[in-house]
Amino acid sequence: MGAERDSCFASSVLFPNYDREVHTLDLAAVSERELDILCHSSTEASDEGPQRLLVTTLQRCCEKQTGREKLACGVKKLAAFADRACSRDSSKWNDILSCCSQDTQNCFNTHYLAQVKVYLQVA
């Protein structure tokens, strides 16, 4: 019952993310800093669409043992991301900027991935 009450309260207040830190990340070029933030125990992207899909994809790298392994995983996932996001199988978001019909990686980097807001739960 407590979680339901907290959720109801949070959705009704002026600043529903009052108990979270907001970070703006440049996910067009993954670094150890971004991965450290994304590997926080409860992190979520603020926007629906490719940002949320990429955050979820990059969080799979958090299982790697070393920072170097995490970074290599993140770089690999980012390189394949635009193609995956534009695949016909991906119905999780609507490409309102038509990046999938342009220079895909550059369009994604500029319009979708340069300023991604993520929320971290504050302990």
Side-chain angles (χ1 to χ4, degrees):
M1 179 160 176
E4 289 176 23
R5 181 185 62 226
D6 291 346
S7 177
C8 178
F9 173 75
S11 67
S12 301
V13 296
L14 185 58
F15 300 104
N17 295 307
Y18 69 95
D19 62 341
R20 298 176 182 207
E21 290 180 17
V22 179
H23 292 265
T24 302
L25 305 178
D26 180 359
L27 294 182
V30 177
S31 72
E32 286 188 41
R33 176 190 173 269
E34 280 82 14
L35 286 173
D36 285 345
I37 291 170
L38 294 178
C39 290
H40 188 275
S41 60
S42 62
T43 305
E44 65 182 58
S46 64
D47 298 323
E48 294 291 332
Q51 298 92 338
R52 183 162 288 188
L53 183 62
L54 180 59
V55 165
T56 302
T57 299
L58 290 174
Q59 285 175 324
R60 293 184 190 130
C61 296
C62 297
E63 300 167 3
K64 304 296 181 188
Q65 296 298 317
T66 68
R68 187 173 285 183
E69 289 173 333
K70 284 180 191 175
L71 186 56
C73 176
V75 168
K76 182 178 176 184
K77 299 270 188 205
L78 179 61
F81 174 72
D83 290 335
R84 178 176 171 234
C86 290
S87 72
R88 292 182 186 179
D89 297 333
S90 182
S91 60
K92 298 181 183 203
W93 67 286
N94 183 16
D95 182 16
I96 59 173
L97 298 173
S98 300
C99 283
C100 292
S101 62
Q102 300 178 33
D103 175 7
T104 308
Q105 192 64 49
N106 187 44
C107 185
F108 268 77
N109 288 348
T110 304
H111 298 293
Y112 289 126
L113 305 180
Q115 299 275 320
V116 177
K117 286 191 175 110
V118 295
Y119 297 118
L120 300 177
Q121 189 72 38
V122 176

